[in-house]
Amino acid sequence: MDLAIHLKSNSPIPLYQQLTEKIRTAILEGRLQPKQKLPSSRSLAKSLMISRSTVIQCYEQLASEGYLETRSGSGTYVCHQIPDEWLNAQPIEPVTNQIAQDLTLSQFGKNLISVGSLEVSEPGFEISFRYGNPANGHFPLQLWRKFLNRYCDSPTALLNYAADAAGHFPLRVAIANYLRRSRAVCCNPKQVIIVNGSQQALNLIARLTLNPGDWLAMEDPGYLGARKCFSSQSANLQPIPINSEGLNIDLLTQCNRNFKLVYVTPSHQFPTGVTLTLRQRIALLQWAQTTGTLIIEDDYDSEFRYGEQPIPALQGMDKSESVIYVGTFSKTMFPSLRIGYLVVPDSWISLVRNAKWLCDRVTPLLEQYALTDWIIEGHFERHIRRMRKLYNLRRQVLIRALEKYFGDRVTILGANAGIHVMVRIETGLCDRVILQKAAAVGVGLISAREYYLKPQDQGEFIFGYAQLTEIKIEQGICKLSQILEISN
Ligand SMILES: Cc1ncc(COP(=O)(O)O)c(C=O)c1O
């Protein structure tokens, strides 16, 4: 078989990466067909005049991505089911190491290369438990369009430059009212700064507070969007393990480091789902006050708790301006809206407003106006109530299916909340193989491995359930148990 592969031995891109890219492209462009057998690692290595371990590394990488499968005693094949959406798709260009050599890059630019790809290519699995999206199909788009149209009819003011970088004031009022009422956040509207999602909030805080070499404490496992943002500022990340009470505050305080920041998701720790207990909240706030450390509270999905009292935000208990609160409309509306907010202490308001202005001046106004009315007229909380019921149902179906098909080999972790659940499954297989086998039958999964600062196989997986119908959830779990050969 002639794969027409030419590798550049003088390129800064490692040979195995070049080879992986070539084979992936050949699959995506249809030059390698589903079920087609690949040359053995030995013969491909010989024909390309490279080492066999380079080919093995490449095959393993593509197998973990779901492009190849290895049949013992038979060889390596292109997976029989490559999702249609992947075919002919333009592969995401890896951030090229060539640029890394370029001396014109700032430290930040260089950091972004080691941070790795930030874009998520969402493969089109038939049943995807991959976490992230809420049930976008249930969002009342027709109604939302009417709210947008209200302001399309009289747009002049909206088209001007002259807008407050901190956001449309009535929206800040609406958010402050909502947060005081439903999250016990202690704030006035001026403290609310509108940004393009939590990601921008984290980015602005990181840039405003972190110097290269500063120490920051991160939940471990923890949120990649936050971790990558802090790493890009050359911060040193100290992983703090999670226990049944949430962030392990004893370990945090024993670190004896001069932390600038600590990043936490107290309502529903991402990804384990544990809620930070009251005892630990008090300990964290006292420690932050004594050490002068700033706490970033990321309250990304607290609206969704099922059958349990909502947990008030940490920010509302803070008496020493130690907490910056971050919220988002990505889960309660839809992610591409790109509206989120920060609640900052009074002394921070003008600083954060300036940082936001320098970044992109202002979050698009049309959506801010529409969202203000949406909240004031009750649609925001109505949609949350409807989705809470739906997610609760889907969560129960998922948990019942996991218990039915996996029996006592599965442990459900975390609180009864959010739009994902982390579970531990005992299979005796490594996570990569499980993902590969699942992908081969069209089931998308995420291993919790990547969320640990020191990746480790724990048999822990994240199941996002918001987007899947109850039938698909049951089918997906049934398929998983079959391929993992678990009969209960
Ligand atoms: C822990 C955490 N924070 C924040 C977000 C939301 O990010 P954004 O508001 O940028 O969409 C997510 C989304 O998945 C998340 O998991």
Side-chain angles (χ1 to χ4, degrees), residues 131-132 197-199 223 263 265 270 298 300 328 330-331 338:
Y131 160 79
S198 321
Q199 199 56 46
Y223 181 46
Y263 167 84
T265 45
F270 186 85
D298 181 351
Y300 65 107
T328 180
S330 289
K331 311 295 178 198
R338 302 314 305 145

Side-chain angles (χ1 to χ4, degrees), residues 184-417:
V185 168
C186 179
C187 66
N188 64 57
K190 287 188 180 156
Q191 291 174 264
V192 177
I193 315 273
I194 308 295
V195 287
N196 295 356
S198 321
Q199 199 56 46
Q200 185 171 51
L202 297 174
N203 191 257
L204 293 180
I205 302 169
R207 286 166 53 205
L208 284 171
T209 55
L210 293 172
N211 286 317
D214 279 347
W215 280 92
L216 172 138
M218 269 288 307
E219 298 170 332
D220 192 38
Y223 181 46
L224 278 181
R227 194 204 297 169
K228 292 189 172 191
C229 183
F230 302 134
S231 305
S232 73
Q233 295 297 318
S234 305
N236 287 315
L237 306 191
Q238 173 72 49
I240 307 290
I242 303 298
N243 62 21
S244 59
E245 289 195 81
L247 187 80
N248 191 326
I249 310 292
D250 289 342
L251 291 183
L252 172 69
T253 53
Q254 283 159 22
C255 278
N256 265 336
R257 281 204 195 288
N258 201 1
F259 288 119
K260 261 277 177 68
L261 298 176
V262 51
Y263 167 84
V264 278
T265 45
S267 300
H268 190 231
Q269 201 275 328
F270 186 85
T272 62
V274 181
T275 303
L276 191 66
T277 58
L278 182 63
R279 192 177 78 92
Q280 298 293 64
R281 282 167 192 251
I282 294 168
L284 177 61
L285 286 169
Q286 279 172 347
W287 170 83
Q289 183 171 6
T290 327
T291 56
T293 311
L294 193 64
I295 300 172
I296 305 176
E297 175 177 24
D298 181 351
D299 206 20
Y300 65 107
D301 72 356
S302 57
E303 285 82 4
F304 302 115
R305 289 194 87 83
Y306 317 110
E308 293 170 14
Q309 281 298 310
I311 310 287
L314 190 65
Q315 192 271 5
M317 299 169 63
D318 173 33
K319 301 278 176 281
S320 59
E321 302 207 326
S322 301
V323 179
I324 290 189
Y325 177 91
V326 176
T328 180
F329 289 98
S330 289
K331 311 295 178 198
T332 49
M333 297 285 286
F334 50 92
S336 71
L337 182 64
R338 302 314 305 145
I339 301 187
Y341 44 89
L342 284 152
V343 179
V344 298
D346 277 322
S347 52
W348 283 70
I349 299 172
S350 59
L351 183 68
V352 178
R353 174 191 270 124
N354 281 352
K356 166 70 183 167
W357 190 94
L358 278 181
C359 195
D360 55 10
R361 284 180 186 259
V362 68
T363 293
L365 272 192
L366 176 63
E367 283 81 358
Q368 289 198 55
Y369 274 63
L371 182 57
T372 309
D373 291 358
W374 185 261
I375 298 175
I376 291 174
E377 293 173 32
H379 296 287
F380 176 63
E381 289 179 62
R382 198 166 303 135
H383 183 57
I384 292 179
R385 280 196 298 276
R386 280 201 300 125
M387 290 305 100
R388 204 180 278 137
K389 271 194 200 141
L390 181 74
Y391 297 155
N392 188 15
L393 171 68
R394 292 186 171 173
R395 186 183 176 88
Q396 285 174 23
V397 170
L398 172 66
I399 290 175
R400 272 202 301 270
L402 284 164
E403 287 169 350
K404 173 170 154 195
Y405 291 103
F406 288 91
D408 54 12
R409 293 183 198 226
V410 75
T411 313
I412 314 287
L413 304 163
N416 205 1

Side-chain angles (χ1 to χ4, degrees), residues 152-199:
C152 287
D153 288 343
S154 54
T156 332
L158 267 78
L159 302 184
N160 291 340
Y161 265 129
D164 187 345
H168 178 47
F169 195 70
L171 177 59
R172 295 162 72 195
V173 173
I175 292 174
N177 288 339
Y178 164 72
L179 290 177
R180 276 197 300 261
R181 192 175 62 247
S182 66
R183 303 293 305 121
V185 168
C186 179
C187 66
N188 64 57
K190 287 188 180 156
Q191 291 174 264
V192 177
I193 315 273
I194 308 295
V195 287
N196 295 356
S198 321
Q199 199 56 46

Side-chain angles (χ1 to χ4, degrees), residues 79-96:
C79 269
H80 72 280
Q81 192 184 30
I82 300 286
D84 288 348
E85 288 87 326
W86 287 12
L87 297 174
N88 299 319
Q90 290 299 316
I92 290 175
E93 285 292 321
V95 182
T96 158

